[in-house]
Amino acid sequence: MKSKVVFFLTVVVCFLLQSTVMDLISIGSVTPNLMLVLCVSMGLMRGRKSGLWTGFLSGLLVDLFFGSIFGFYALIYMYIGYLSGYAHRIYYDDDVKVPMFLTAGADLLYNLAVYGLQFLLRGRLGLRTYLYRIIIPEMFYTVFITLIVYRLFRYINYRYMNIARKESESIWVLK
């Protein structure tokens, strides 16, 4: 029970930081995606099922407050959390390179999905402009934030959610 409360509070605090503080530290109207870092981190540290639920809850909050199509961001974040959970078995705690590469790849997939489903379907074909002005700067900025925030997520995971981690490694849980 304690781990679920800490999990929920972590998602809510990250959402609040994403929607308030991250807008203040934007550079050239590019903000880092803290919710994406959370989904990748939880999927990487705790497995596919936890990454899926983290992504779904994060995306649901984004959809409720900022989304134009309900369920769009929930689906994208859910897939990102689930796919990052595949690296759970090859993950080492102290190595920060794996979360950085996964965050870069997930941010690229996230932004391409947003471009494809929200801009391309409306007839806006400026992929090169979107790529150079939004996708690549946001990817680098999000990876930089991953260096800072990942250690905090790792501390929260091992300090407060250790019981849930044992449950995610059970053979009875969907893998």
Side-chain angles (χ1 to χ4, degrees):
M1 183 67 184
K2 173 183 158 185
S3 65
K4 291 180 183 179
V5 171
V6 170
F7 170 73
F8 181 74
L9 287 175
T10 304
V11 172
V12 169
V13 167
C14 284
F15 173 74
L16 290 174
L17 288 174
Q18 176 72 37
S19 59
T20 56
V21 175
M22 293 299 166
D23 288 335
L24 295 175
I25 63 169
S26 66
I27 298 174
S29 75
V30 173
T31 59
N33 197 338
L34 188 62
M35 302 302 285
L36 185 93
V37 175
L38 177 68
C39 294
V40 169
S41 298
M42 288 300 150
L44 188 62
M45 287 186 279
R46 301 177 71 205
R48 288 179 279 192
K49 187 176 179 183
S50 181
L52 182 129
W53 283 108
T54 305
F56 179 71
L57 188 59
S58 300
L60 193 64
L61 286 172
V62 172
D63 278 332
L64 284 173
F65 289 98
F66 302 114
S68 59
I69 302 170
F70 189 71
F72 176 71
Y73 291 106
L75 187 65
I76 292 175
Y77 282 125
M78 190 171 65
Y79 278 132
I80 287 172
Y82 184 75
L83 291 175
S84 66
Y86 275 103
H88 172 68
R89 295 197 187 266
I90 61 168
Y91 162 70
Y92 293 108
D93 293 345
D94 298 333
D95 191 20
V96 76
K97 290 180 290 210
V98 174
M100 285 174 42
F101 287 128
L102 278 176
T103 302
D107 196 64
L108 181 67
L109 288 175
Y110 168 80
N111 281 315
L112 286 175
V114 168
Y115 170 77
L117 295 172
Q118 290 196 351
F119 293 109
L120 189 63
L121 291 178
R122 292 183 184 168
R124 297 180 185 166
L125 301 174
L127 177 62
R128 178 176 284 161
T129 305
Y130 190 73
L131 184 71
Y132 289 124
R133 290 190 181 174
I134 295 176
I135 293 177
I136 293 174
E138 182 180 325
M139 187 171 65
F140 283 118
Y141 203 13
T142 303
V143 168
F144 176 72
I145 291 296
T146 302
L147 287 171
I148 299 167
V149 175
Y150 174 73
R151 297 185 195 279
L152 177 66
F153 290 152
R154 192 181 79 192
Y155 175 76
I156 291 170
N157 184 46
Y158 286 109
R159 178 78 173 130
Y160 299 107
M161 293 191 260
N162 203 11
I163 296 168
R165 185 169 186 261
K166 291 177 185 173
E167 290 172 1
S168 71
E169 295 173 354
S170 172
I171 61 171
W172 300 107
V173 177
L174 176 68
K175 292 189 178 194

